[in-house]
Amino acid sequence: MIVSVNFLFVRIAPFALYVNNLEEARNFFVKYFDAKSNDGYHNFQTDFRSYFLSFDDDTRIEIMNKPEMSDCPKELTRTGYAHIAFSVGSKEKVDALTAELRADGYKVVSGPRKTGDGYYESCIVAFEDNQIEITV
């Protein structure tokens, strides 16, 4: 899987993301992107918890949580990372997954569409206001 960070395509192993609700984030990636999850990790001294989520091409995302994290608002246009992107393989799969996510109540903020630079994509606001881009 190619993961895009701010339109720069790189292989990430692993990409790490702090979240408030580990189970919600885990279930999102398992349901919509066929992630495989480990059983989780818990450091009892610090109360740090995490899951490693693996995808078919050896890409991994670590989702993490620890007590007392600040949770700043995530405006759609802001400095920092804009989104992570998942390549699903075809225009039809972009369309189908976007429709499924919309039906499940996720906000679609763009697309599906062909962009000016030639990509076919959509972008949704997922769990905890994180943007996920779905590309061919």
Side-chain angles (χ1 to χ4, degrees):
M1 171 182 308
I2 301 294
V3 177
S4 167
V5 180
N6 251 357
F7 298 105
L8 172 66
F9 288 95
V10 295
R11 283 211 180 266
I12 299 176
F15 176 77
L17 178 67
Y18 273 115
V19 298
N20 288 310
N21 187 326
L22 276 174
E23 297 306 319
E24 179 186 18
R26 177 184 182 208
N27 292 339
F28 176 86
F29 288 113
V30 167
K31 178 177 181 177
Y32 297 110
F33 296 100
D34 298 322
K36 308 294 184 268
S37 177
N38 71 348
D39 292 332
Y41 168 75
H42 183 201
N43 181 317
F44 291 97
Q45 291 179 336
T46 64
D47 207 21
F48 172 86
R49 297 171 187 265
S50 72
Y51 286 110
F52 278 97
L53 306 175
S54 301
F55 301 87
D56 287 339
D57 71 350
D58 297 327
T59 298
R60 295 187 313 159
I61 294 176
E62 181 181 15
I63 53 174
M64 309 173 299
N65 177 276
K66 63 182 178 180
E68 301 177 23
M69 293 188 308
S70 64
D71 191 10
C72 301
K74 297 178 184 91
E75 300 296 327
L76 288 179
T77 52
R78 65 182 188 282
T79 60
Y81 294 112
H83 62 262
I84 58 174
F86 290 85
S87 174
V88 295
S90 71
K91 178 181 174 189
E92 294 76 21
K93 288 181 181 178
V94 171
D95 293 344
L97 183 53
T98 304
E100 180 181 3
L101 287 157
R102 180 181 280 125
D104 287 349
Y106 292 97
K107 181 180 178 182
V108 177
V109 293
S110 70
R113 67 190 179 97
K114 185 174 182 178
T115 64
D117 54 359
Y119 291 98
Y120 190 80
E121 65 187 31
S122 67
C123 188
I124 62 126
V125 177
F127 59 92
E128 299 179 16
D129 292 333
N130 291 296
Q131 292 181 66
I132 306 291
E133 186 178 87
I134 305 159
T135 68
V136 172

